[in-house]
Amino acid sequence: MDTQDTQNPRQDQDTPRSGGSGPADARPVLEGPDIARVLTRIAHEIVERAKGAEDVVLLGIPTRGVFLGRRLAEKLAEITGRTVPVGSLDITMYRDDLRMHPPRALARTEIPGDGIDGRLVVLVDDVLFSGRTIRAALDALNDIGRPRAVQLAVLVDRGHRELPIRADYVGKNLPTSLRETVKVLLAEEDGRDTVLLGVKQNP
Amino acid sequence: MLRHLISAADLTRDDAVLILDTAEEMARVADRPIKKLPTLRGRTVVNLFFEDSTRTRISFEAAEKRLSADVINFTAKGSSVSKGESLKDTAQTLEAMGVDAVVIRHGASGAPYRLANSGWIDAAVINAGDGTHQHPTQALLDAFTMRRRLVGRDAGLGQDLGGRRITVVGDILHSRVARSNVDLLHTLGAQVTLVAPPTLVPVGVGSWPCEVSYDLDAVLPKSDAVMMLRVQRERMNAAFFPTEREYSRRYGLDGDRMARMPEHAVVMHPGPMVRGMEITAEVADSDRCTVVEQVANGVSIRMAVLYLLLGGNEPAVTHTRTEEKSDR
C-alpha cells in the first residue's frame, strides 16, 4: 500500500496500471527468482527471531502486502510444518492524508479467526517509504486487539522516512532519490514478479 | 461532484456500486471489539429532523459516531422551529456553527434540495427522507440487503442487481421509499414491479422506469424480492380503500402467499411494520424476512455515504444534477 504526502507521491497506486509494465525507462532491481529467495530468507529470519514462530500472525497491507503475506505464510508452513495464520489489514480509514485526496475505495480487512491478542503480529508490505502507512497500520491494530509485539517485514526499503519507524525484516535496501519511483509487481496482481526502479514522469 | 445526496436518481450505476462495496467493508467494523474508525475526526454532522423518526435517526447517529464525527441532534419539537423559525434561519444558524454535513428529514418534499442549492449553507446535505419525494439511504440499504441475499456477500462485490425482479407492494402513493427504490433499482439493472390498489398508485407512474400491477398473486411467483410498504395513515386525507380487512386480504403478505414465492426470494420491509395489516406475524418472523438485517445494513450504508461524501478533500461520487449557484 502506498503512503505519501503531497511531495512524495509513490506511483504504484496512483497511476493506472498499464498491463503490468512500469514507466518506459524503469529498470528491474529484483526479478522473480530474487523475490522468491528474499521471501525464503525473511521466513527463516522470522522463525529464528520468533523462536519457532508459534504465535506469529501475518497481516498483509493491501494490495501487494497481502500477496507477500500469503507467500510468506506458505514458506513458514514449509519451514515449521505448521500453518501460520495470515490475514489482511486495510489502513485506508486510518491514513493521515485522507483530507488531501478524494475518498479512496476501501480494501478488505481479514483478521484470522483466533485474533491477534497476545500474538506476535508481523505486518507485511511491499515498499517502506515515508513510514506513514505503518503508522496508520499500528493505529488500526490498536482498534482490533492487543498483540504481544508487532514487527514489520517489507520487500523493499527505499528510505526517506518521515516517522521514527523501521523494518525488522527487509528484502532489499534500495537507496533512492525522491525523484525516483519504486514499483513492485507481483504475479497475483500484475502477472509477473519484479521490482522496478524508475524516474518520476511529472516533477 | 456529488457534494450532497438528495435523490437516489442522482446516483450513477458506478456510484451506487461503490457505495454498496464500501458498505460491505464498513459492515465488518461491526464485528470488531472496538466499533469505531477515526476517519471523520473533527468533522461535525447535524441530524436535522423536522419529522418523527426512530430508526433512521438512530441509524445515522450510530454511523456518524462509528466514524468519530461530532454529532449534534436537532429535532423540530422543542426547538426554535416550534417558535416559527424558518428553514433558512435554522440553516444559517448551523452554518455559523461550522457544520460539515447536515442530515435532514423534512415533511415537505424538496426541503433537502432547497437547503443544498439555496446557498444558505456550505455543508454537505444528506436527505434522510423528504415528504413523499425521496429517501435515498433507505433505497441504498435495501439494494445492499438484496445484493447480499441474492448475489452473496463476497460474490456481490462490484456487482449490481442486473436481471433481478423486485416487487414493491403497498402504499406507493405516499411512499418516498418506493420512489427511491424504483430509481435506484432501475439504475442497478433490476426490474421493478409496483403492486397496489389503483387508488394508491400515483398519477404519472407511467413515466417511472417500472411496471405496475394490481394483482399480487400473479406477480409473487416471478419475484426475487418482495418489499412490503406500510400504509401511511398519517399522510392520508381521504379513504383510499374500503376497509383494512379488504386491503390486507388483497395486498397483505401472509404465509400462503409467501409459499408461492420462489425458494430463494426474500421479504423486505422498511419498517415500521403494522403486523396484521400489510404483513402477518408469521411472515414477519420468518427467516425469509430481512427487516432486522435491513436495520443493521442501514448503519453500514450510512457509514459508507458519510465516508464517501466527507472522508476526503472532495467527494468520491459524481453528481449528475447541475447545481444552482445562487447569490448569497
Side-chain angles (χ1 to χ4, degrees), chain B residues 159-216:
Chain B
Q159 304 291 312
D160 56 20
L161 292 168
R164 309 283 161 170
R165 296 156 305 176
I166 318 293
T167 305
V168 183
V169 188
D171 185 357
I172 310 293
L173 180 63
H174 298 101
S175 177
R176 53 194 174 212
V177 176
R179 280 171 182 75
S180 298
N181 262 299
V182 168
D183 289 334
L184 184 71
L185 291 172
H186 173 72
T187 303
L188 288 172
Q191 299 165 12
V192 185
T193 307
L194 303 177
V195 180
T199 49
L200 287 175
V201 174
V203 177
V205 77
S207 65
W208 294 13
C210 64
E211 286 171 21
V212 179
S213 165
Y214 305 115
D215 184 357
L216 182 57

Short mmCIF file of all heavy atoms in Angstrom, two decimals, chain B residues 159-216:
data_model
loop_
_atom_site.label_atom_id
_atom_site.label_comp_id
_atom_site.label_asym_id
_atom_site.label_seq_id
_atom_site.Cartn_x
_atom_site.Cartn_y
_atom_site.Cartn_z
N GLN B 159 -20.72 -5.95 -8.10
CA GLN B 159 -21.87 -6.36 -8.91
C GLN B 159 -23.06 -5.43 -8.69
O GLN B 159 -23.20 -4.82 -7.64
CB GLN B 159 -22.31 -7.77 -8.52
CG GLN B 159 -21.23 -8.81 -8.64
CD GLN B 159 -20.85 -9.07 -10.07
OE1 GLN B 159 -21.71 -9.28 -10.91
NE2 GLN B 159 -19.56 -9.05 -10.36
N ASP B 160 -23.94 -5.38 -9.69
CA ASP B 160 -25.21 -4.68 -9.50
C ASP B 160 -26.32 -5.73 -9.34
O ASP B 160 -26.05 -6.89 -9.02
CB ASP B 160 -25.49 -3.71 -10.64
CG ASP B 160 -25.47 -4.40 -12.00
OD1 ASP B 160 -25.63 -5.64 -12.03
OD2 ASP B 160 -25.29 -3.71 -13.01
N LEU B 161 -27.56 -5.35 -9.57
CA LEU B 161 -28.68 -6.27 -9.39
C LEU B 161 -29.29 -6.63 -10.74
O LEU B 161 -30.50 -6.84 -10.85
CB LEU B 161 -29.74 -5.64 -8.48
CG LEU B 161 -29.32 -5.45 -7.01
CD1 LEU B 161 -30.31 -4.56 -6.27
CD2 LEU B 161 -29.22 -6.80 -6.30
N GLY B 162 -28.45 -6.67 -11.77
CA GLY B 162 -28.91 -6.89 -13.13
C GLY B 162 -29.82 -8.11 -13.24
O GLY B 162 -29.47 -9.21 -12.80
N GLY B 163 -31.01 -7.93 -13.82
CA GLY B 163 -31.91 -9.03 -14.09
C GLY B 163 -32.76 -9.50 -12.92
O GLY B 163 -33.64 -10.34 -13.10
N ARG B 164 -32.52 -8.99 -11.71
CA ARG B 164 -33.35 -9.42 -10.57
C ARG B 164 -34.72 -8.77 -10.66
O ARG B 164 -34.85 -7.63 -11.11
CB ARG B 164 -32.69 -9.02 -9.24
CG ARG B 164 -31.25 -9.42 -9.14
CD ARG B 164 -31.09 -10.90 -8.84
NE ARG B 164 -29.73 -11.30 -9.21
CZ ARG B 164 -29.22 -12.49 -8.90
NH1 ARG B 164 -29.95 -13.36 -8.26
NH2 ARG B 164 -27.99 -12.79 -9.24
N ARG B 165 -35.74 -9.49 -10.21
CA ARG B 165 -37.11 -8.98 -10.28
C ARG B 165 -37.57 -8.61 -8.88
O ARG B 165 -37.67 -9.46 -8.00
CB ARG B 165 -38.01 -10.03 -10.90
CG ARG B 165 -37.64 -10.36 -12.36
CD ARG B 165 -38.11 -11.74 -12.74
NE ARG B 165 -37.59 -12.73 -11.81
CZ ARG B 165 -37.89 -14.02 -11.85
NH1 ARG B 165 -38.72 -14.48 -12.75
NH2 ARG B 165 -37.37 -14.85 -10.97
N ILE B 166 -37.83 -7.34 -8.68
CA ILE B 166 -38.19 -6.83 -7.36
C ILE B 166 -39.63 -6.32 -7.41
O ILE B 166 -40.00 -5.58 -8.33
CB ILE B 166 -37.28 -5.66 -6.94
CG1 ILE B 166 -35.80 -5.92 -7.29
CG2 ILE B 166 -37.47 -5.32 -5.47
CD1 ILE B 166 -35.15 -7.02 -6.55
N THR B 167 -40.42 -6.74 -6.43
CA THR B 167 -41.81 -6.30 -6.35
C THR B 167 -42.00 -5.42 -5.13
O THR B 167 -41.57 -5.78 -4.03
CB THR B 167 -42.74 -7.53 -6.26
OG1 THR B 167 -42.46 -8.38 -7.36
CG2 THR B 167 -44.20 -7.12 -6.28
N VAL B 168 -42.59 -4.25 -5.33
CA VAL B 168 -42.85 -3.34 -4.21
C VAL B 168 -44.37 -3.26 -4.05
O VAL B 168 -45.08 -2.91 -5.01
CB VAL B 168 -42.25 -1.95 -4.48
CG1 VAL B 168 -42.47 -1.04 -3.28
CG2 VAL B 168 -40.76 -2.06 -4.81
N VAL B 169 -44.84 -3.57 -2.85
CA VAL B 169 -46.28 -3.73 -2.63
C VAL B 169 -46.77 -2.73 -1.58
O VAL B 169 -46.16 -2.63 -0.51
CB VAL B 169 -46.61 -5.16 -2.13
CG1 VAL B 169 -48.12 -5.36 -2.10
CG2 VAL B 169 -45.96 -6.20 -3.01
N GLY B 170 -47.85 -2.04 -1.88
CA GLY B 170 -48.50 -1.24 -0.84
C GLY B 170 -48.73 0.19 -1.22
O GLY B 170 -49.03 0.50 -2.38
N ASP B 171 -48.56 1.06 -0.25
CA ASP B 171 -48.91 2.47 -0.39
C ASP B 171 -47.85 3.22 -1.20
O ASP B 171 -47.01 3.93 -0.66
CB ASP B 171 -49.05 3.07 1.01
CG ASP B 171 -49.53 4.50 0.98
OD1 ASP B 171 -49.71 5.05 -0.12
OD2 ASP B 171 -49.72 5.06 2.07
N ILE B 172 -47.87 3.02 -2.52
CA ILE B 172 -46.86 3.64 -3.38
C ILE B 172 -47.05 5.16 -3.38
O ILE B 172 -46.09 5.93 -3.38
CB ILE B 172 -46.99 3.13 -4.84
CG1 ILE B 172 -47.07 1.60 -4.88
CG2 ILE B 172 -45.87 3.66 -5.71
CD1 ILE B 172 -45.84 0.90 -4.47
N LEU B 173 -48.32 5.58 -3.35
CA LEU B 173 -48.65 7.00 -3.49
C LEU B 173 -47.91 7.87 -2.48
O LEU B 173 -47.37 8.91 -2.82
CB LEU B 173 -50.17 7.17 -3.33
CG LEU B 173 -50.71 8.59 -3.44
CD1 LEU B 173 -50.46 9.16 -4.82
CD2 LEU B 173 -52.21 8.60 -3.13
N HIS B 174 -47.88 7.42 -1.23
CA HIS B 174 -47.30 8.25 -0.18
C HIS B 174 -45.87 7.85 0.14
O HIS B 174 -45.29 8.35 1.10
CB HIS B 174 -48.14 8.13 1.09
CG HIS B 174 -49.55 8.60 0.91
ND1 HIS B 174 -50.60 7.74 0.73
CD2 HIS B 174 -50.06 9.85 0.84
CE1 HIS B 174 -51.72 8.43 0.59
NE2 HIS B 174 -51.43 9.71 0.63
N SER B 175 -45.29 6.94 -0.64
CA SER B 175 -44.04 6.34 -0.21
C SER B 175 -42.81 6.92 -0.91
O SER B 175 -42.61 6.74 -2.10
CB SER B 175 -44.07 4.83 -0.45
OG SER B 175 -42.84 4.27 -0.08
N ARG B 176 -41.98 7.60 -0.14
CA ARG B 176 -40.69 8.04 -0.67
C ARG B 176 -39.76 6.85 -0.82
O ARG B 176 -38.86 6.86 -1.65
CB ARG B 176 -40.08 9.10 0.25
CG ARG B 176 -39.99 8.67 1.70
CD ARG B 176 -39.71 9.87 2.60
NE ARG B 176 -39.74 9.50 4.01
CZ ARG B 176 -40.13 10.31 4.98
NH1 ARG B 176 -40.51 11.53 4.71
NH2 ARG B 176 -40.10 9.93 6.23
N VAL B 177 -39.97 5.81 0.01
CA VAL B 177 -39.14 4.61 -0.09
C VAL B 177 -39.35 3.97 -1.46
O VAL B 177 -38.39 3.56 -2.13
CB VAL B 177 -39.47 3.61 1.04
CG1 VAL B 177 -38.70 2.32 0.86
CG2 VAL B 177 -39.19 4.23 2.39
N ALA B 178 -40.61 3.90 -1.90
CA ALA B 178 -40.90 3.29 -3.21
C ALA B 178 -40.25 4.10 -4.33
O ALA B 178 -39.62 3.54 -5.23
CB ALA B 178 -42.40 3.19 -3.43
N ARG B 179 -40.40 5.42 -4.27
CA ARG B 179 -39.81 6.27 -5.33
C ARG B 179 -38.30 6.08 -5.40
O ARG B 179 -37.72 5.88 -6.46
CB ARG B 179 -40.13 7.73 -5.06
CG ARG B 179 -41.53 8.11 -5.49
CD ARG B 179 -41.88 9.52 -5.01
NE ARG B 179 -43.26 9.85 -5.40
CZ ARG B 179 -44.34 9.36 -4.81
NH1 ARG B 179 -44.22 8.51 -3.80
NH2 ARG B 179 -45.55 9.70 -5.23
N SER B 180 -37.64 6.13 -4.24
CA SER B 180 -36.18 5.98 -4.22
C SER B 180 -35.78 4.60 -4.71
O SER B 180 -34.80 4.45 -5.44
CB SER B 180 -35.66 6.18 -2.80
OG SER B 180 -35.95 7.47 -2.35
N ASN B 181 -36.53 3.59 -4.29
CA ASN B 181 -36.18 2.23 -4.70
C ASN B 181 -36.35 2.02 -6.20
O ASN B 181 -35.52 1.37 -6.83
CB ASN B 181 -37.02 1.22 -3.92
CG ASN B 181 -36.25 0.65 -2.73
OD1 ASN B 181 -35.21 0.04 -2.90
ND2 ASN B 181 -36.75 0.90 -1.54
N VAL B 182 -37.42 2.56 -6.76
CA VAL B 182 -37.62 2.43 -8.20
C VAL B 182 -36.43 3.05 -8.95
O VAL B 182 -35.86 2.44 -9.85
CB VAL B 182 -38.95 3.09 -8.64
CG1 VAL B 182 -39.01 3.21 -10.15
CG2 VAL B 182 -40.13 2.27 -8.13
N ASP B 183 -36.04 4.25 -8.54
CA ASP B 183 -34.91 4.92 -9.21
C ASP B 183 -33.62 4.12 -9.08
O ASP B 183 -32.93 3.87 -10.07
CB ASP B 183 -34.70 6.32 -8.59
CG ASP B 183 -35.81 7.28 -8.97
OD1 ASP B 183 -36.43 7.09 -10.03
OD2 ASP B 183 -36.06 8.23 -8.21
N LEU B 184 -33.30 3.73 -7.86
CA LEU B 184 -32.01 3.08 -7.63
C LEU B 184 -31.98 1.68 -8.24
O LEU B 184 -31.00 1.29 -8.88
CB LEU B 184 -31.70 3.01 -6.13
CG LEU B 184 -30.32 2.44 -5.83
CD1 LEU B 184 -29.23 3.40 -6.23
CD2 LEU B 184 -30.17 2.09 -4.36
N LEU B 185 -33.06 0.91 -8.04
CA LEU B 185 -33.07 -0.46 -8.55
C LEU B 185 -33.00 -0.47 -10.08
O LEU B 185 -32.35 -1.32 -10.67
CB LEU B 185 -34.32 -1.20 -8.06
CG LEU B 185 -34.34 -1.49 -6.56
CD1 LEU B 185 -35.68 -2.04 -6.12
CD2 LEU B 185 -33.22 -2.46 -6.18
N HIS B 186 -33.65 0.52 -10.69
CA HIS B 186 -33.55 0.63 -12.15
C HIS B 186 -32.11 0.92 -12.56
O HIS B 186 -31.58 0.29 -13.48
CB HIS B 186 -34.49 1.74 -12.65
CG HIS B 186 -34.33 2.02 -14.11
ND1 HIS B 186 -34.76 1.16 -15.08
CD2 HIS B 186 -33.75 3.07 -14.76
CE1 HIS B 186 -34.46 1.66 -16.26
NE2 HIS B 186 -33.86 2.82 -16.11
N THR B 187 -31.46 1.86 -11.85
CA THR B 187 -30.06 2.17 -12.14
C THR B 187 -29.19 0.93 -12.00
O THR B 187 -28.24 0.73 -12.75
CB THR B 187 -29.55 3.26 -11.17
OG1 THR B 187 -30.40 4.40 -11.29
CG2 THR B 187 -28.12 3.65 -11.47
N LEU B 188 -29.53 0.07 -11.03
CA LEU B 188 -28.72 -1.13 -10.78
C LEU B 188 -29.14 -2.30 -11.67
O LEU B 188 -28.66 -3.42 -11.49
CB LEU B 188 -28.83 -1.52 -9.31
CG LEU B 188 -28.10 -0.60 -8.33
CD1 LEU B 188 -28.43 -0.96 -6.89
CD2 LEU B 188 -26.59 -0.64 -8.54
N GLY B 189 -30.05 -2.07 -12.60
CA GLY B 189 -30.36 -3.09 -13.59
C GLY B 189 -31.48 -4.04 -13.22
O GLY B 189 -31.74 -5.00 -13.95
N ALA B 190 -32.16 -3.80 -12.09
CA ALA B 190 -33.24 -4.69 -11.69
C ALA B 190 -34.54 -4.30 -12.39
O ALA B 190 -34.70 -3.16 -12.84
CB ALA B 190 -33.43 -4.65 -10.18
N GLN B 191 -35.48 -5.27 -12.47
CA GLN B 191 -36.82 -4.98 -13.00
C GLN B 191 -37.76 -4.82 -11.82
O GLN B 191 -37.90 -5.73 -11.01
CB GLN B 191 -37.31 -6.13 -13.87
CG GLN B 191 -36.42 -6.40 -15.07
CD GLN B 191 -36.74 -7.75 -15.68
OE1 GLN B 191 -37.74 -8.38 -15.36
NE2 GLN B 191 -35.85 -8.20 -16.55
N VAL B 192 -38.40 -3.65 -11.74
CA VAL B 192 -39.26 -3.36 -10.60
C VAL B 192 -40.71 -3.43 -11.02
O VAL B 192 -41.09 -2.90 -12.06
CB VAL B 192 -38.93 -1.97 -10.02
CG1 VAL B 192 -39.74 -1.73 -8.75
CG2 VAL B 192 -37.44 -1.84 -9.74
N THR B 193 -41.53 -4.09 -10.20
CA THR B 193 -42.97 -4.10 -10.41
C THR B 193 -43.63 -3.52 -9.15
O THR B 193 -43.32 -3.95 -8.04
CB THR B 193 -43.50 -5.53 -10.64
OG1 THR B 193 -42.74 -6.11 -11.71
CG2 THR B 193 -44.97 -5.51 -11.01
N LEU B 194 -44.51 -2.54 -9.34
CA LEU B 194 -45.25 -1.98 -8.22
C LEU B 194 -46.61 -2.65 -8.17
O LEU B 194 -47.27 -2.81 -9.20
CB LEU B 194 -45.42 -0.47 -8.40
CG LEU B 194 -44.12 0.35 -8.56
CD1 LEU B 194 -44.46 1.82 -8.80
CD2 LEU B 194 -43.24 0.21 -7.34
N VAL B 195 -47.04 -3.02 -6.97
CA VAL B 195 -48.36 -3.62 -6.79
C VAL B 195 -49.09 -2.83 -5.72
O VAL B 195 -48.57 -2.66 -4.62
CB VAL B 195 -48.26 -5.10 -6.37
CG1 VAL B 195 -49.66 -5.68 -6.21
CG2 VAL B 195 -47.46 -5.89 -7.38
N ALA B 196 -50.29 -2.34 -6.07
CA ALA B 196 -51.06 -1.54 -5.11
C ALA B 196 -52.48 -1.42 -5.59
O ALA B 196 -52.78 -1.65 -6.77
CB ALA B 196 -50.42 -0.15 -4.98
N PRO B 197 -53.40 -1.05 -4.68
CA PRO B 197 -54.75 -0.71 -5.15
C PRO B 197 -54.65 0.50 -6.07
O PRO B 197 -53.77 1.36 -5.85
CB PRO B 197 -55.51 -0.34 -3.87
CG PRO B 197 -54.62 -0.66 -2.74
CD PRO B 197 -53.24 -0.88 -3.24
N PRO B 198 -55.47 0.59 -7.09
CA PRO B 198 -55.36 1.70 -8.04
C PRO B 198 -55.36 3.07 -7.36
O PRO B 198 -54.72 4.01 -7.84
CB PRO B 198 -56.60 1.52 -8.92
CG PRO B 198 -56.93 0.08 -8.83
CD PRO B 198 -56.51 -0.37 -7.47
N THR B 199 -56.05 3.18 -6.24
CA THR B 199 -56.11 4.48 -5.55
C THR B 199 -54.79 4.86 -4.91
O THR B 199 -54.57 6.02 -4.58
CB THR B 199 -57.17 4.45 -4.45
OG1 THR B 199 -56.96 3.26 -3.66
CG2 THR B 199 -58.56 4.45 -5.02
N LEU B 200 -53.91 3.91 -4.70
CA LEU B 200 -52.64 4.20 -4.05
C LEU B 200 -51.48 4.18 -5.03
O LEU B 200 -50.32 4.07 -4.64
CB LEU B 200 -52.39 3.21 -2.90
CG LEU B 200 -53.28 3.43 -1.66
CD1 LEU B 200 -53.05 2.34 -0.62
CD2 LEU B 200 -53.01 4.80 -1.03
N VAL B 201 -51.79 4.25 -6.31
CA VAL B 201 -50.76 4.37 -7.34
C VAL B 201 -50.73 5.83 -7.79
O VAL B 201 -51.76 6.38 -8.13
CB VAL B 201 -51.06 3.45 -8.54
CG1 VAL B 201 -50.07 3.68 -9.66
CG2 VAL B 201 -51.04 2.00 -8.11
N PRO B 202 -49.58 6.48 -7.75
CA PRO B 202 -49.56 7.90 -8.07
C PRO B 202 -49.82 8.20 -9.54
O PRO B 202 -49.57 7.36 -10.41
CB PRO B 202 -48.14 8.33 -7.68
CG PRO B 202 -47.36 7.10 -7.56
CD PRO B 202 -48.28 5.96 -7.35
N VAL B 203 -50.35 9.39 -9.79
CA VAL B 203 -50.51 9.87 -11.16
C VAL B 203 -49.12 10.01 -11.76
O VAL B 203 -48.18 10.42 -11.09
CB VAL B 203 -51.23 11.24 -11.15
CG1 VAL B 203 -51.33 11.79 -12.56
CG2 VAL B 203 -52.59 11.12 -10.50
N GLY B 204 -48.97 9.66 -13.02
CA GLY B 204 -47.67 9.84 -13.67
C GLY B 204 -46.74 8.66 -13.49
O GLY B 204 -45.58 8.71 -13.85
N VAL B 205 -47.25 7.57 -12.92
CA VAL B 205 -46.39 6.40 -12.69
C VAL B 205 -45.93 5.80 -14.02
O VAL B 205 -44.92 5.10 -14.09
CB VAL B 205 -47.13 5.36 -11.81
CG1 VAL B 205 -48.16 4.60 -12.64
CG2 VAL B 205 -46.16 4.42 -11.13
N GLY B 206 -46.68 6.14 -15.10
CA GLY B 206 -46.31 5.64 -16.41
C GLY B 206 -44.92 6.08 -16.86
O GLY B 206 -44.28 5.42 -17.67
N SER B 207 -44.45 7.20 -16.31
CA SER B 207 -43.12 7.68 -16.71
C SER B 207 -42.02 7.10 -15.82
O SER B 207 -40.84 7.35 -16.04
CB SER B 207 -43.09 9.21 -16.62
OG SER B 207 -43.26 9.61 -15.28
N TRP B 208 -42.39 6.33 -14.80
CA TRP B 208 -41.36 5.72 -13.94
C TRP B 208 -40.77 4.50 -14.64
O TRP B 208 -41.49 3.82 -15.39
CB TRP B 208 -41.96 5.28 -12.61
CG TRP B 208 -42.46 6.38 -11.73
CD1 TRP B 208 -42.66 7.68 -12.08
CD2 TRP B 208 -42.85 6.28 -10.36
NE1 TRP B 208 -43.14 8.39 -11.01
CE2 TRP B 208 -43.26 7.55 -9.93
CE3 TRP B 208 -42.88 5.23 -9.43
CZ2 TRP B 208 -43.70 7.81 -8.64
CZ3 TRP B 208 -43.32 5.48 -8.14
CH2 TRP B 208 -43.72 6.75 -7.75
N PRO B 209 -39.52 4.19 -14.38
CA PRO B 209 -38.91 3.02 -15.03
C PRO B 209 -39.32 1.72 -14.35
O PRO B 209 -38.48 1.00 -13.81
CB PRO B 209 -37.41 3.29 -14.89
CG PRO B 209 -37.30 4.13 -13.66
CD PRO B 209 -38.56 4.93 -13.54
N CYS B 210 -40.60 1.39 -14.35
CA CYS B 210 -41.07 0.18 -13.69
C CYS B 210 -42.42 -0.22 -14.28
O CYS B 210 -42.99 0.52 -15.06
CB CYS B 210 -41.24 0.41 -12.18
SG CYS B 210 -42.49 1.64 -11.79
N GLU B 211 -42.90 -1.40 -13.86
CA GLU B 211 -44.22 -1.83 -14.27
C GLU B 211 -45.18 -1.72 -13.10
O GLU B 211 -44.76 -1.66 -11.96
CB GLU B 211 -44.16 -3.27 -14.78
CG GLU B 211 -43.50 -3.36 -16.14
CD GLU B 211 -43.24 -4.79 -16.55
OE1 GLU B 211 -43.90 -5.69 -16.01
OE2 GLU B 211 -42.38 -4.97 -17.41
N VAL B 212 -46.49 -1.71 -13.42
CA VAL B 212 -47.50 -1.63 -12.37
C VAL B 212 -48.47 -2.77 -12.54
O VAL B 212 -48.86 -3.12 -13.66
CB VAL B 212 -48.25 -0.28 -12.45
CG1 VAL B 212 -49.33 -0.21 -11.36
CG2 VAL B 212 -47.29 0.88 -12.31
N SER B 213 -48.82 -3.41 -11.40
CA SER B 213 -49.80 -4.49 -11.44
C SER B 213 -50.77 -4.28 -10.27
O SER B 213 -50.43 -3.66 -9.27
CB SER B 213 -49.10 -5.84 -11.32
OG SER B 213 -50.03 -6.85 -11.01
N TYR B 214 -51.99 -4.81 -10.44
CA TYR B 214 -52.96 -4.73 -9.34
C TYR B 214 -53.21 -6.11 -8.75
O TYR B 214 -54.07 -6.26 -7.91
CB TYR B 214 -54.26 -4.10 -9.85
CG TYR B 214 -54.03 -2.75 -10.51
CD1 TYR B 214 -54.27 -2.55 -11.87
CD2 TYR B 214 -53.54 -1.68 -9.76
CE1 TYR B 214 -54.03 -1.32 -12.46
CE2 TYR B 214 -53.29 -0.46 -10.34
CZ TYR B 214 -53.53 -0.27 -11.69
OH TYR B 214 -53.28 0.93 -12.26
N ASP B 215 -52.47 -7.09 -9.22
CA ASP B 215 -52.71 -8.48 -8.82
C ASP B 215 -51.45 -9.07 -8.18
O ASP B 215 -50.52 -9.50 -8.85
CB ASP B 215 -53.11 -9.28 -10.07
CG ASP B 215 -53.48 -10.71 -9.71
OD1 ASP B 215 -53.36 -11.08 -8.52
OD2 ASP B 215 -53.88 -11.46 -10.62
N LEU B 216 -51.43 -9.08 -6.85
CA LEU B 216 -50.25 -9.54 -6.13
C LEU B 216 -49.96 -11.02 -6.42
O LEU B 216 -48.81 -11.40 -6.63
CB LEU B 216 -50.46 -9.32 -4.62
CG LEU B 216 -49.32 -9.71 -3.69
CD1 LEU B 216 -48.03 -8.99 -4.06
CD2 LEU B 216 -49.67 -9.44 -2.24
#
